[in-house]
């Protein structure tokens, strides 16, 4: 028995020091110290020993058990420490590694300008109207007093969607004048921003799709002075309080009289430079007093009511405001360009 006890001690201690995991350790504990373990089994045989042998073997057996218990506890500490170390190693955070930057998007510069303009008009009591980009020729041209042979009606200028030229991609936001008068109570004060389409070649100042902001005011006693006052106020809010404007006579089928409005070049202050093509002035919008025929086409009595209308090119405003030299940049959506604003 003494031999067996010594052997158990040797083997168990050797096996214990080899264990790598808590599970291995537990298996050894069961194998030697468990209820059906080797040492336990041996102790059960004590009764068969002689009276002299029993205390000696008993003491040895206790020693072995204590040695194993102690070794188990020690190895458990060792394994726990190793496990903790491994975990810390695996979960190490290197706080010195630069983070991955998150690219945050932001508003397109043209929509920044549009929002500004909406705010200005809302502040003056205007409503914002939305309208269809697929439009009837009736609204885009006929009711706006454009004669059948007007050049803008040509297939080389306008994108028609039907063979009979009755449906098209609107070439201007002016059909919203008609839609506003047909659907709204008088007096009317609206702006209507949106996309328009023309068969233009793409260059620094042209694109087959661009944005306009249409404006319409109809009330009793509206005069050219209201047109000038309103547009001057808006232009000076956009371009600065000292901006000089010039109202040049022009012609549109749906306004009479008509004008184009120029601002003094913000780049050269009127001396003439590449931005204003040497003119000293930059055209920013078309406008005029709503033609009596257009009012009549919408069942508004021109003897009682009068109005003015105007149309801004939104891209041109954004180009001017952000000093962008080429309109194509507005549409290309190159993030390197857009993120500058
Ligand atoms: N629709 C005209 C254009 O596209 C602009 C305009 C609008 C002119 C309203 C007068 C009144 O050029």
């Amino acid at each position: 028995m003494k031999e067996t006890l010594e052997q158990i001690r040797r083997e168990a201690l050797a096996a214990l020091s080899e264990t790598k995991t808590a599970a291995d350790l537990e298996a050894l504990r069961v194998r030697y110290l468990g209820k059906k373990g080797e040492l336990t089994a041996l102790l059960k045989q004590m009764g068969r020993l002689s009276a002299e042998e029993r205390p000696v073997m008993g003491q040895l057996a206790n020693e072995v058990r204590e040695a194993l218990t102690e070794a188990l506890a020690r190895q458990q500490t060792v394994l726990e420490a190793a496990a903790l170390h491994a975990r810390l190693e695996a979960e190490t955070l290197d706080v010195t590694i630069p983070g991955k930057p998150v690219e945050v998007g932001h508003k397109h510069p043209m929509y920044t300008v549009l929002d500004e303009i909406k705010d200005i008009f809302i502040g003056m009591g205007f409503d914002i109207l939305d309208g269809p980009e697929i439009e009837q020729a009736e609204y885009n041209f006929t009711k706006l007093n454009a004669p059948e042979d007007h050049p803008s009606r040509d297939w080389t200028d306008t994108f028609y969607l039907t063979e009979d030229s009755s449906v098209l991609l609107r070439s201007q936001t002016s059909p919203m004048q008609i839609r506003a008068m047909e659907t709204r109570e008088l007096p009317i004060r609206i702006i209507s921003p949106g996309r328009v389409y023309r068969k233009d070649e793409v260059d620094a100042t042209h694109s087959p799709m661009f944005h306009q902001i249409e404006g319409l005011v109809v009330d009793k006693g509206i005069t050219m002075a209201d047109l000038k006052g309103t547009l001057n106020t808006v232009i000076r809010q956009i371009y600065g309080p000292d901006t000089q404007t010039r109202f040049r006579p022009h012609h549109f089928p749906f306004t009479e009289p008509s004008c184009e409005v120029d601002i003094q070049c913000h780049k050269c202050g009127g001396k003439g430079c590449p931005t204003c093509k040497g003119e000293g002035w930059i055209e920013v919008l078309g406008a005029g007093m709503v033609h009596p025929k257009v009012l009549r086409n919408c069942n508004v009595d021109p003897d009682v009511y009068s109005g003015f209308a105007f149309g801004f090119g939104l891209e041109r405003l954004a180009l001017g405001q952000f000093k962008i030299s080429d309109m194509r940049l507005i549409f290309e959506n190159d993030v390197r360009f857009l993120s500058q604003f």
Side-chain angles (χ1 to χ4, degrees):
M1 178 171 268
K2 182 164 184 259
E3 261 315 297
T4 319
L5 276 172
E6 293 293 0
Q7 195 186 342
I8 288 178
R9 168 146 64 181
R10 249 184 286 115
E11 279 178 15
L13 288 179
L16 272 175
S17 61
E18 294 283 295
T19 51
K20 297 269 185 294
T21 67
D24 291 349
L25 199 62
E26 174 63 10
L28 283 182
R29 191 191 63 75
V30 172
R31 177 170 164 195
Y32 292 106
L33 300 177
K35 273 194 189 127
K36 294 175 183 156
E38 291 182 23
L39 190 62
T40 318
L42 205 62
L43 289 175
K44 281 182 188 152
Q45 294 170 22
M46 283 291 181
R48 293 197 224 131
L49 294 177
S50 64
E52 303 88 72
E53 269 183 319
R54 210 179 295 155
V56 183
M57 283 305 133
Q59 197 185 345
L60 182 59
N62 275 337
E63 271 174 39
V64 172
R65 192 178 42 210
E66 265 163 38
L68 290 192
T69 309
E70 201 185 299
L72 267 167
R74 222 182 307 120
Q75 185 66 1
Q76 188 173 354
T77 320
V78 170
L79 289 183
E80 275 172 5
L84 179 65
H85 183 72
R87 221 181 83 200
L88 288 177
E89 196 89 319
E91 292 177 3
T92 300
L93 268 187
D94 184 348
V95 292
T96 64
I97 293 176
K100 286 186 192 151
V102 179
E103 295 256 4
V104 179
H106 65 94
K107 212 183 285 170
H108 190 286
M110 200 178 66
Y111 283 88
T112 308
V113 173
L114 178 56
D115 281 353
E116 245 176 71
I117 290 172
K118 281 185 185 170
D119 277 351
I120 295 170
F121 279 105
I122 288 169
M124 296 171 87
F126 283 68
D127 286 346
I128 317 275
L129 270 193
D130 206 8
E133 289 171 33
I134 294 175
E135 185 54 282
Q136 299 172 36
E138 184 79 5
Y139 283 78
N140 196 82
F141 294 125
T142 313
K143 289 190 176 187
L144 283 168
N145 195 38
E148 286 299 329
D149 59 354
H150 195 273
S152 65
R153 288 194 162 211
D154 207 287
W155 275 63
T156 55
D157 282 38
T158 294
F159 292 100
Y160 285 95
L161 301 176
T162 56
E163 286 293 329
D164 66 357
S165 308
S166 62
V167 182
L168 44 75
L169 291 177
R170 66 178 177 188
S171 62
Q172 51 185 353
T173 44
S174 295
M176 288 309 292
Q177 294 180 30
I178 307 296
R179 290 186 176 276
M181 283 191 273
E182 283 186 354
T183 56
R184 302 211 131 207
E185 300 274 325
L186 294 166
I188 290 171
R189 253 182 299 183
I190 59 108
I191 61 163
S192 183
R195 295 189 184 92
V196 302
Y197 302 84
R198 291 181 193 176
K199 288 189 177 169
D200 277 333
E201 295 290 332
V202 179
D203 66 21
T205 52
H206 293 88
S207 156
M209 186 282 289
F210 58 101
H211 295 71
Q212 288 190 329
I213 306 170
E214 194 76 11
L216 176 70
V217 172
V218 183
D219 200 350
K220 289 175 182 160
I222 297 290
T223 70
M224 192 87 184
D226 296 304
L227 179 156
K228 281 190 78 173
T230 305
L231 293 178
N232 272 335
T233 305
V234 172
I235 287 170
R236 288 182 184 139
Q237 291 217 38
I238 300 172
Y239 290 101
D242 302 325
T243 308
Q244 293 299 308
T245 58
R246 175 171 87 171
F247 290 71
R248 239 181 328 103
H250 198 71
H251 175 268
F252 296 105
F254 37 88
T255 47
E256 182 60 35
S258 304
C259 61
E260 278 188 329
V261 183
D262 302 334
I263 58 164
Q264 202 160 56
C265 180
H266 43 77
K267 200 105 184 220
C268 62
K271 289 192 206 79
C273 71
T275 300
C276 57
K277 301 195 181 86
E279 299 272 327
W281 296 87
I282 297 170
E283 178 207 322
V284 287
L285 61 95
M289 301 304 293
V290 182
H291 199 294
K293 280 190 182 166
V294 173
L295 292 175
R296 234 177 258 123
N297 287 342
C298 302
N299 292 321
V300 176
D301 185 349
D303 294 328
V304 182
Y305 286 95
S306 55
F308 67 86
F310 53 89
F312 280 95
L314 184 53
E315 283 78 5
R316 197 171 292 178
L317 278 179
L319 295 186
Q321 184 137 335
F322 291 114
K323 311 231 177 327
I324 301 165
S325 57
D326 194 319
M327 188 150 109
R328 283 166 288 199
L329 292 165
I330 295 270
F331 300 118
E332 277 167 0
N333 285 338
D334 184 330
V335 176
R336 288 169 302 182
F337 167 74
L338 294 178
S339 58
Q340 297 172 48
F341 303 98

